[in-house]
Amino acid sequence: MPTSLPITYILKKYENKMNHHYLDRHTAKDLLKLQQMEKRFVEAAFNNPSCVDKSNEQKIRYALNLAKISTFQPGAAGMGRNDRPDITVENLALVNLRNYLIDTLGRSLAKGKPELAVLIDAQQSIPLWEDKVEPTVQAILQDHSDDFSAEELNREIGTKTLVNVCGGGGGSGYVYIGAYEALEQANYIPGYLLGASIGSVLGLFRSKHKIGNYDEDVKFAQSLSPGEIFNVVSLKARFGLPGLLRFYLHAAIQDRFVHPDGSPMLLSDLEIPFETVVAGVNRGAMGFSPEEYAREHHLILDKMPSKMALGRKITAQLIRMLAFINPMVTKEIIIGGDSLTADFNAVDAAGFSSAIPGILHYDIARNDDHMTEMLEALFMREDLMCLVDGGIINNVPVRSAWNQVHNGKIGTRNCYYLGFDCFHPQLTMNHALTLPVEYALQTQVAVNHPFAHNIIKFKPTLAPANLVPSAESIDKSYGWGFKQMNENIPLTNKFFETVEWPES
């Protein structure tokens, strides 16, 4: 993408000043292992409540969360990021406890073991390590007496923050509205939200305010018509890939994301920290320029075709779209994930994340120096040709959310990772058209499962192609999402229990 800005200016202007701590691979592997151990134990205790002593349960969970301490921002747990610096804890006693727990409790909590055996073995292991816990806490507090208090350390150990990751899937994603209301009714407000494709659009609405207005959101969705959002009018591609339909998300919803003075909301203005995943198409990877790609595949339409003709064109493009699910062609970019994109226009972030390759073209058609400069800098830094749907590169990006959290996004690192997946294979007429793509993307989702506490595969859902459903269909979808999330609340409650070391 051509730019008149010198590279030295861009690098200086967007120098990353965020105090992120990047984990080395060995530490990251250990912290993920400890998270998985806690998940295994909590699920077993939830399913077999009479088989674990409450004091023993608290000891095991406290020890595992203590061992996960590496870097955190004091005071952020349960409260959100503040102005204090992140503190890295490098303590020999902590490292020894971490290694010992992975060795001893790790065997007790091994995969494939019956849950009753897990609970028995985990409790029997307590005498092997419990005398190491309190000395480790005291050693940490002594080393960091000027950095944080015992209360702040214990809050980081014992208080979880909800991280929600909502995946793509077109019209299937309307179930997320009901799921969000079920979460809020259970007093769960996300501390961080990462979205891809339709998950980025619905996640944007959820992130605007900590307390959602779901009746208003449903009524707004029901008020939209296809003509307000999609058209065949073709504009020159600047940052997006041309498609059969132009995606007018900015025109359709921007009025809901402005400040009282009329200025647009940026990602940094949202009450809930929110980022989106987009796929950046590597320069030269397609063998075509965006315009050549559109001509080669007859994507430029001068009038809206019949429903049947449009369906045939979309089907053909869905098959071609599989070529974009390739790390040689696309790379994952998190909009909002660094200082360059932190002030991205919030609606544009969702728009680019939802631009299905060759089907929906999202772009910056207005005069906007702020966004143009930012995108030109991003394209230069990443050597990109265009941006397309984030679901192509990572449809339920829990691993990306995990990395963002551990790089300091919200201060605390003690989080519960809840994924939403509406685009898994369902053998119904609603999903017949998109079934090959759904199967292809599930290989990506599988890579994210080890980082999640729970990925809810919503079923039933609307058809992915039903991007602007009827009022009745939206109501149905809302109900499906609310019901399934509500069924998951009891287990979620178990993970969010406050954890404390029992008094002697």
Side-chain angles (χ1 to χ4, degrees):
M1 180 64 61
T3 178
S4 60
L5 298 174
I7 187 64
T8 52
Y9 170 80
I10 293 170
L11 293 176
K12 183 176 180 180
K13 181 174 178 64
Y14 294 113
E15 180 183 1
N16 193 340
K17 296 179 181 178
M18 297 175 71
N19 185 28
H20 283 178
H21 170 78
Y22 293 90
L23 292 172
D24 64 70
R25 191 171 298 178
H26 177 75
T27 302
K29 182 179 178 181
D30 284 349
L31 300 189
L32 180 60
K33 174 69 173 176
L34 290 161
Q35 176 182 304
Q36 293 166 344
M37 289 165 61
E38 185 197 22
K39 176 179 183 291
R40 178 82 168 119
F41 177 76
V42 172
E43 288 176 345
F46 174 78
N47 292 329
N48 304 275
S50 62
C51 298
V52 59
D53 178 81
K54 192 64 180 178
S55 176
N56 287 343
E57 181 182 336
Q58 286 283 300
K59 285 181 179 180
I60 291 168
R61 294 185 65 180
Y62 185 95
L64 288 170
N65 282 309
L66 169 61
K68 284 193 295 180
I69 293 289
S70 175
T71 298
F72 71 102
Q73 183 184 55
M79 304 295 291
R81 194 158 182 94
N82 54 60
D83 294 331
R84 294 167 68 178
D86 284 7
I87 303 299
T88 296
V89 179
E90 296 177 334
N91 181 281
L92 182 59
L94 176 61
V95 172
N96 288 339
L97 176 66
R98 182 182 299 156
N99 292 337
Y100 200 76
L101 286 175
I102 289 174
D103 183 44
T104 56
L105 258 179
R107 288 197 298 271
S108 301
L109 301 172
K111 276 186 177 180
K113 225 173 175 182
E115 287 187 337
L116 289 179
V118 162
L119 296 175
I120 292 169
D121 290 354
Q123 292 180 91
Q124 288 180 345
S125 78
I126 291 174
L128 299 175
W129 49 259
E130 67 176 326
D131 61 347
K132 296 176 172 56
V133 172
E134 293 192 77
T136 299
V137 171
Q138 293 308 312
I140 292 171
L141 292 174
Q142 183 175 344
D143 287 351
H144 295 278
S145 57
D146 294 332
D147 297 323
F148 49 78
S149 65
E151 180 185 356
E152 289 168 334
L153 176 62
N154 280 321
R155 192 183 306 149
E156 176 66 19
I157 293 168
T159 304
K160 275 190 166 39
T161 294
L162 174 62
V163 171
N164 176 240
V165 179
C166 39
S172 298
Y174 284 95
V175 289
Y176 298 164
I177 302 175
Y180 281 136
E181 181 153 20
L183 277 169
E184 189 171 319
Q185 286 188 11
N187 297 315
Y188 293 116
I189 308 297
Y192 168 53
L193 199 151
L194 181 63
S197 198
I198 188 65
S200 68
V201 177
L202 296 171
L204 172 64
F205 277 85
R206 180 62 194 93
S207 299
K208 183 179 179 182
H209 298 298
K210 288 186 177 179
I211 304 302
N213 189 332
Y214 304 99
D215 287 342
E216 182 180 309
D217 290 344
V218 167
K219 287 177 183 175
F220 178 72
Q222 292 172 331
S223 73
L224 294 172
S225 65
E228 292 178 88
I229 304 178
F230 308 111
N231 206 309
V232 297
V233 175
S234 178
L235 298 176
K236 181 176 174 59
R238 298 178 71 191
F239 305 105
L241 181 70
L244 293 166
L245 300 173
R246 184 65 186 248
F247 186 29
Y248 288 99
L249 184 70
H250 193 276
I253 72 171
Q254 181 60 56
D255 287 349
R256 294 176 63 85
F257 292 91
V258 293
H259 295 292
D261 65 0
S263 60
M265 282 190 173
L266 309 178
L267 289 178
S268 54
D269 297 324
L270 302 171
E271 290 187 7
I272 295 175
F274 172 66
E275 296 172 346
T276 70
V277 170
V278 300
V281 179
N282 298 313
R283 188 180 302 279
M286 293 195 310
F288 298 99
S289 70
E291 293 79 9
E292 289 168 340
Y293 183 86
R295 288 196 298 271
E296 177 73 17
H297 298 302
H298 309 289
L299 302 180
I300 307 302
L301 307 176
D302 55 7
K303 64 179 181 179
M304 186 69 77
S306 69
K307 190 172 183 180
M308 183 176 294
L310 182 61
R312 286 197 300 267
K313 287 181 174 290
I314 289 175
T315 301
Q317 193 54 41
L318 282 171
I319 295 171
R320 296 188 194 106
M321 191 177 73
L322 294 174
F324 290 85
I325 309 174
N326 181 343
M328 300 296 291
V329 176
T330 52
K331 67 178 67 171
E332 181 178 0
I333 295 172
I334 298 179
I335 298 296
D338 61 10
S339 60
L340 171 56
T341 58
D343 288 330
F344 214 90
N345 179 286
V347 175
D348 288 334
F352 281 114
S353 182
S354 307
I356 305 170
I359 297 176
L360 298 181
H361 176 195
Y362 187 85
D363 225 316
I364 307 293
R366 63 191 187 275
N367 292 323
D368 189 328
D369 291 341
H370 170 76
M371 285 302 301
T372 298
E373 179 183 311
M374 189 181 303
L375 282 162
E376 287 178 343
L378 177 65
F379 274 49
M380 178 176 283
R381 188 186 75 185
E382 301 292 338
D383 196 24
L384 301 178
M385 182 165 58
C386 57
L387 299 177
V388 295
D389 192 308
I392 292 297
I393 194 72
N394 199 355
N395 198 44
V396 187
V398 186
R399 178 176 59 179
S400 302
W402 192 92
N403 286 329
Q404 286 296 95
V405 166
H406 282 274
N407 290 339
K409 178 65 184 181
I410 56 175
T412 182
R413 272 66 167 180
N414 188 3
C415 295
Y416 176 85
Y417 296 89
L418 174 63
F420 287 171
D421 184 6
C422 66
F423 199 61
H424 54 93
Q426 298 181 49
L427 300 180
T428 66
M429 289 302 297
N430 274 353
H431 287 256
L433 178 65
T434 54
L435 208 55
V437 181
E438 291 173 2
Y439 275 111
L441 292 185
Q442 281 302 300
T443 61
Q444 297 176 349
V445 177
V447 174
N448 288 279
H449 269 281
F451 296 83
H453 290 87
N454 188 12
I455 295 181
I456 299 177
K457 293 186 176 296
F458 288 94
K459 183 179 180 181
T461 66
L462 301 179
N466 192 2
L467 296 173
V468 188
S470 67
E472 181 183 4
S473 293
I474 289 175
D475 283 339
K476 280 183 181 179
S477 191
Y478 168 91
W480 294 332
F482 185 94
K483 179 177 183 292
Q484 194 161 349
M485 183 67 248
N486 211 40
E487 290 169 351
N488 281 267
I489 290 297
L491 178 57
T492 305
N493 289 340
K494 184 67 177 174
F495 276 99
F496 275 86
E497 290 176 351
T498 300
V499 175
E500 299 175 327
W501 186 254
E503 294 184 6
S504 302

